[in-house]
Amino acid sequence: MCGIVGYIGPREAYPIIIEGLKRLEYRGYDSAGIALFDGNDLKVSKTKGKVADLEERSDKEITKNGSVGIGHTRWATHGVPNDVNSHPHISNSGDLVIIHNGIIENYESLKKELISRGYTFKSDTDTEVLINLIEDVKKQEKVKLGKAVQIALNQVIGAYAIAVFDKNKPEEVVIARLGSPLAVGIGEDEFFIASDASPFLEYTKDAIYLEDEEMAIIRFHKGIKIRKIKDDSLVDPYIQKLQINLEQIEKGGFDHFMLKEIHEQPKAITDTYRGRLLRKEAIIKMAGVEDNMKKFLNADRIIIVACGTSWHAGLVAEYIFEDLARVPVEVEYASEFRYRNPVITEKDVLIAISQSGETADTLAAIKLAKSKGAFVFGVCNVVGSSIARETDAGAYTHAGPEIGVASTKAFTTQITVLTLMALRLARAKGTISSSDFRHHLLELEMIPKKVEESLKSDAHIQAISDIYKDASNFLYLGRGYNFPVALEGALKLKEISYIHAEGYPAAEMKHGPIALIDENMPIVVIATKKGHYEKVVSNIQEIKSRKGKIIGIVTEGDVQVKELADHVIEVPETLESLTPLLTTIPLQLLSYHIAVMLGKNVDQPRNLAKSVTVE
Ligand code: F6R
């Protein structure tokens, strides 16, 4: 996720773009940049860091006048965050300039082709490939910029929102969208371009939201023309009157970042497997795994280290790796691992999981494992983070920035990456049949739709939250793949509502926690059809006979638990190994609604930090 802002009109573009970028920093904040046409030439300033760093730098670097410009705040996906990889990117001739939000999946093959034609590249980004592809098309086909953008985009696989202009024709900006949002604010003979309306709300409430596969050519004094990228047909612009305030927009209309991020999960999971899960070809492509396949195949065992929610994702991975790839897995709290003189050899593979990529204990565990010769693989969300840099290889989750302190989409995207890894390894080891492998790919591909389905229970979960919001304790139970989900559900409730909650393997209940059960105790039981169903039903009966209040997370159409439980929340059916991706959703919503009803600060709970850089 990145933030895009552009302006074309009679005003000075610089302050509009800078203020707009600040409002879009929630979309990414590892680097920022701006390109202006000052009446004579193109001026570009860009830097690693925040928009404030860009202001400081551009003060020294460029004259800030000009009424056409584009700006960008970055969340790195290709290439670490540094000055060179920051946007805007300029074409080889120096004429064309672009900003881009999204991922061009086939950028490597396009880059090779362009290099063979003499193009050179300064950055590691897919975006620099795109602007040179546009330049190449423009020259080869002898077409105008708009047409060149259209032809180039028809060669591109991936997702994008872009804004491009030519310094020789600066009264025209071309924009396009596929999979990443793009809005145009319509002022009086002026146009604002942005990832959401927040950068231009103070200037105009009239906006056009580009649909997927649409592009627009915006000309000063001449207006806007929208076309379909594929067939060039003209689209009638639909101008909306916005009735929203700034806060609402940054949170996409949600009351909190946490809720927004919960609802982003279908897209985040899709972004995670995009370009990796190739169902039709029946393959999984993950460069970090492929390049190091020998290490994985020769490993005596896999050790997973992480903290908090990422540790729970590691526990889910333990089940998946052992189940599918038949390799022994140990999951360790990074903070314990680093201090207990663990036995590590060169035949160990260590997987470190971290959303932020900055967690001090996880980083220290990595350094320890490396010093003993283990091969270390990172699963991080933040590109270019310390853990991403410290590990020998890795795979990003591509979940986009997670702002809410309580981790939600990071968890499900981590599980997605780890599932892809386990499947890839299982295929290489021959521990999964080809039909089973295909079946897994198909089911994994359908998960985003099923998460969407699960999110539809929101109102029902809100009603359940209202009944139990004043409870002092909660118990969460699950078995097999859903035991880590029980732990995660309890952690979510604790950290944002401050209600004491414990997660347990369902069968362990009778070894202690059962003593806590009375009519005041709500117990969330994950009882999906696949996964020791009958055994969990017996546990539910034990709870019922002690008058505990049962909230069952069940598979759609379940009858047995429905009869026993006080409430049930349904999730769609899927493979047992993929159930955590669905059963987690109602637990996230339950903790969210309870915390809101109790008036807690959901996005910034007391005593917690998003990135724990101290031990
Ligand atoms: C819980 C939560 C924390 C983090 C933990 C690890 O909602 O956010 O438990 O999961 O601090 O952080 P990362 O994944 O950044 O290493």
Side-chain angles (χ1 to χ4, degrees):
M1 217 156 91
C2 303
I4 282 182
V5 188
Y7 178 77
I8 175 163
R11 304 179 207 236
E12 286 295 331
Y14 182 85
I16 296 171
I17 293 172
I18 289 291
E19 283 316 304
L21 289 179
K22 285 184 187 162
R23 291 195 188 133
L24 292 183
E25 272 196 313
Y26 76 92
R27 299 182 61 84
Y29 36 75
D30 58 46
S31 40
I34 189 165
L36 294 170
F37 184 75
D38 71 357
N40 290 313
D41 206 359
L42 189 63
K43 304 279 176 209
V44 176
S45 182
K46 54 189 199 172
T47 181
K48 179 179 177 200
K50 297 197 166 238
V51 179
D53 300 304
L54 172 65
E55 277 182 290
E56 219 173 275
R57 184 155 190 161
S58 56
D59 268 347
K60 295 180 208 128
E61 248 175 26
I62 56 169
T63 49
K64 295 184 200 150
N65 51 323
S67 55
V68 179
I70 53 180
H72 190 263
T73 173
R74 180 166 186 244
W75 173 264
T77 58
H78 288 86
V80 295
N82 61 26
D83 293 356
V84 179
N85 287 337
S86 310
H87 299 211
H89 288 281
I90 301 172
S91 63
N92 274 194
S93 69
D95 290 345
L96 308 186
V97 61
I98 189 171
I99 47 173
H100 166 219
N101 166 27
I103 299 173
I104 308 296
E105 287 167 23
N106 57 336
Y107 83 104
E108 281 180 53
S109 57
L110 293 170
K111 189 171 182 175
K112 268 192 203 138
E113 177 69 33
L114 289 166
I115 289 173
S116 75
R117 290 229 269 277
Y119 283 84
T120 57
F121 294 89
K122 294 190 184 106
S123 75
D124 307 318
T125 64
D126 49 350
T127 309
E128 198 187 3
V129 175
L130 181 56
I131 193 62
N132 282 304
L133 178 65
I134 295 168
E135 175 153 295
D136 192 53
V137 171
K138 192 166 176 289
K139 280 189 189 148
Q140 302 287 331
E141 308 277 330
K142 301 196 175 32
V143 287
K144 291 185 180 160
L145 178 64
K147 195 72 198 165
V149 168
Q150 186 182 23
I151 296 171
L153 290 180
N154 276 312
Q155 297 177 28
V156 152
I157 301 168
Y160 52 78
I162 56 166
V164 187
F165 73 90
D166 181 344
K167 74 170 187 188
N168 304 306
K169 220 180 161 201
E171 65 286 354
E172 175 180 292
V173 178
V174 180
I175 61 172
R177 126 163 216 180
L178 176 63
S180 303
L182 204 50
V184 183
I186 318 283
E188 209 143 290
D189 207 13
E190 62 181 348
F191 298 92
F192 305 82
I193 300 152
S195 301
D196 69 38
S198 58
F200 57 75
L201 260 190
E202 62 191 276
Y203 303 102
T204 178
K205 299 260 179 190
D206 291 334
I208 297 172
Y209 285 88
L210 236 54
E211 296 293 334
D212 271 349
E213 303 195 333
E214 284 181 359
M215 60 179 288
I217 300 177
I218 303 168
R219 291 198 185 101
F220 189 38
H221 292 321
K222 291 201 178 138
I224 177 165
K225 267 218 167 87
I226 304 177
R227 289 183 183 278
K228 292 267 180 212
I229 296 170
K230 277 221 170 95
D231 63 13
D232 201 39
S233 55
L234 268 176
V235 176
D236 269 344
Y238 169 61
I239 301 178
Q240 289 188 35
K241 254 282 165 256
L242 300 176
Q243 282 162 344
I244 30 182
N245 60 39
L246 277 177
E247 260 266 284
Q248 276 173 317
I249 287 192
E250 283 163 358
K251 291 179 184 151
F254 292 100
D255 289 339
H256 299 93
F257 281 112
M258 180 183 176
L259 189 61
K260 175 173 175 264
E261 286 155 11
I262 290 173
H263 281 266
E264 274 172 357
Q265 287 174 111
K267 179 172 184 306
I269 295 170
T270 310
D271 287 344
T272 302
Y273 69 53
R274 188 194 300 282
R276 292 169 168 164
L277 188 169
L278 307 179
R279 186 176 52 78
K280 285 194 193 125
E281 293 91 328
I283 49 172
I284 286 171
K285 250 170 75 177
M286 297 180 92
V289 178
E290 229 61 62
D291 297 348
N292 299 287
M293 190 52 93
K294 266 201 185 138
K295 298 265 182 206
F296 281 101
L297 291 177
N298 293 338
D300 282 342
R301 60 175 178 167
I302 292 176
I303 305 167
I304 297 180
V305 293
C307 301
T309 290
S310 297
W311 183 73
H312 296 154
L315 288 178
V316 175
E318 178 180 21
Y319 284 85
I320 307 176
F321 273 95
E322 293 202 340
D323 198 7
L324 302 180
R326 307 302 301 147
V327 53
V329 178
E330 286 169 27
V331 188
E332 306 265 0
Y333 280 119
S335 52
E336 286 300 311
F337 180 80
R338 62 179 289 196
Y339 282 119
R340 68 169 174 72
N341 194 16
V343 180
I344 311 166
T345 75
E346 285 171 9
K347 289 198 78 186
D348 287 326
V349 166
L350 183 128
I351 301 178
I353 310 171
S354 174
Q355 187 285 130
S356 62
E358 301 296 343
T359 302
D361 284 322
T362 311
L363 200 51
I366 291 169
K367 288 182 177 156
L368 174 67
K370 272 179 85 175
S371 72
K372 310 251 180 192
F375 170 71
V376 182
F377 190 94
V379 175
C380 297
N381 191 34
V382 178
V383 173
S385 54
S386 305
I387 292 177
R389 280 183 278 120
E390 191 63 41
T391 42
D392 297 311
Y396 287 116
T397 49
H398 296 312
E402 194 179 65
I403 312 285
V405 164
S407 206
T408 52
K409 62 177 179 171
F411 180 65
T412 44
T413 53
Q414 285 164 348
I415 294 175
T416 305
V417 163
L418 292 158
T419 303
L420 288 169
M421 288 175 67
L423 282 166
R424 179 65 194 91
L425 190 54
R427 201 74 195 106
K429 289 182 75 174
T431 51
I432 190 168
S433 70
S434 129
S435 65
D436 212 9
F437 182 73
R438 280 171 189 271
H439 190 194
H440 274 80
L441 296 190
L442 178 69
E443 287 289 336
L444 185 55
E445 200 178 53
M446 288 190 322
I447 286 293
K449 273 262 156 303
K450 293 184 179 181
V451 172
E452 253 166 44
E453 276 303 304
S454 310
L455 287 166
K456 287 186 187 152
S457 301
D458 192 39
H460 175 48
I461 296 170
Q462 204 168 344
I464 297 173
S465 308
D466 197 31
I467 301 172
Y468 296 107
K469 63 180 187 303
D470 298 315
S472 322
N473 297 289
F474 265 73
L475 201 56
Y476 286 73
L477 303 176
R479 268 189 102 128
Y481 281 95
N482 282 304
F483 158 53
V485 177
L487 294 178
E488 175 60 8
L491 176 64
K492 285 289 89 89
L493 187 70
K494 269 187 276 213
E495 62 185 341
I496 59 171
S497 70
Y498 319 142
I499 293 174
H500 173 245
E502 282 194 53
Y504 258 91
E508 273 292 303
M509 182 181 71
K510 53 188 164 304
H511 298 287
I514 200 164
L516 294 167
I517 299 175
D518 62 14
E519 66 278 13
N520 298 316
M521 175 70 115
I523 299 144
V524 179
V525 189
I526 306 161
T528 45
K529 267 271 144 50
K530 290 179 192 135
H532 319 286
Y533 181 71
E534 296 303 334
K535 305 238 180 260
V536 178
V537 170
S538 303
N539 295 136
I540 291 177
Q541 262 151 348
E542 289 159 10
I543 300 167
K544 196 157 176 70
S545 56
R546 283 155 189 91
K547 298 198 170 57
K549 299 286 182 283
I550 301 157
I551 304 164
I553 312 296
V554 299
T555 309
E556 244 163 29
D558 177 279
V559 190
Q560 236 177 315
V561 177
K562 214 172 254 171
E563 273 179 16
L564 296 168
D566 296 85
H567 317 271
V568 292
I569 305 166
E570 292 189 339
V571 293
E573 187 158 3
T574 185
L575 293 176
E576 186 187 352
S577 61
L578 302 179
T579 50
L581 292 166
L582 302 180
T583 50
T584 304
I585 308 297
L587 305 193
Q588 294 171 344
L589 288 169
L590 185 71
S591 63
Y592 170 78
H593 287 302
I594 290 179
V596 170
M597 285 169 189
L598 294 177
K600 306 298 182 206
N601 186 342
V602 171
D603 282 334
Q604 287 160 339
R606 70 182 181 204
N607 306 338
L608 292 174
K610 187 69 193 155
S611 164
V612 186
T613 53
V614 290
E615 59 167 291

